[in-house]
């Protein structure tokens, strides 16, 4: 599974931080090949497979937490703080927790 089984959307437009620009592709750039070259370069510099997974998890977690942040809404009546809005926000937080290894990849949270 492309998302590592943590429940991440595979469509780039699903990520609020990526939607800001509306640009998901660059002419002449193959994302798969670019990722393979990046991983190969990491290996050449001594980063082991576990380290590569950690780096990719950090990137995915950052994108996921941006999704959760966009799901927060201000509280009514001028109260301080914010509230997580609906299932969408909870889905983003569950995915981030899985990426960070805070919960297992199964359904139990």
């Amino acid at each position: 599974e492309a998302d590592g089984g943590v429940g991440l959307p595979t469509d780039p437009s699903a990520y609020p931080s990526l939607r800001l620009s509306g640009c998901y592709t660059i002419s002449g750039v193959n994302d798969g090949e670019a990722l393979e070259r990046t991983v190969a370069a990491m290996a050449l510099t001594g980063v082991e497979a576990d380290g590569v997974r950690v780096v990719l998890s950090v990137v995915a977690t950052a994108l996921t937490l941006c999704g959760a942040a966009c799901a927060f809404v201000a509280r009514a009546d001028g109260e301080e703080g914010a509230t997580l809005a609906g299932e969408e926000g909870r889905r983003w937080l569950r995915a981030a927790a899985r990426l960070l290894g805070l919960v297992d990849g199964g359904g139990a949270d």
Side-chain angles (χ1 to χ4, degrees):
E1 192 170 27
D3 72 355
V6 296
L8 295 176
T10 55
D11 178 5
S13 67
Y15 294 87
S17 55
L18 299 179
R19 276 198 310 263
L20 292 174
S21 71
C23 178
Y24 307 110
T25 59
I26 299 172
S27 180
V29 174
N30 180 315
D31 292 334
E33 288 176 7
L35 177 61
E36 286 177 10
R37 285 193 311 272
T38 300
V39 170
M42 292 171 78
L44 283 173
T45 60
V47 179
E48 296 180 5
D50 285 341
V52 171
R53 278 191 288 281
V54 168
V55 169
L56 295 177
S57 288
V58 167
V59 172
T61 300
L63 288 170
T64 303
L65 289 174
C66 287
C70 289
F72 278 92
V73 296
R75 291 187 181 160
D77 302 323
E79 291 182 43
E80 290 188 20
T83 302
L84 187 58
E87 182 55 34
E88 176 78 5
R90 286 187 287 280
R91 183 179 57 81
W92 285 112
L93 285 179
R94 282 193 298 272
R98 287 183 187 105
L99 284 164
L100 293 170
L102 301 175
V103 295
D104 65 25
D109 303 318

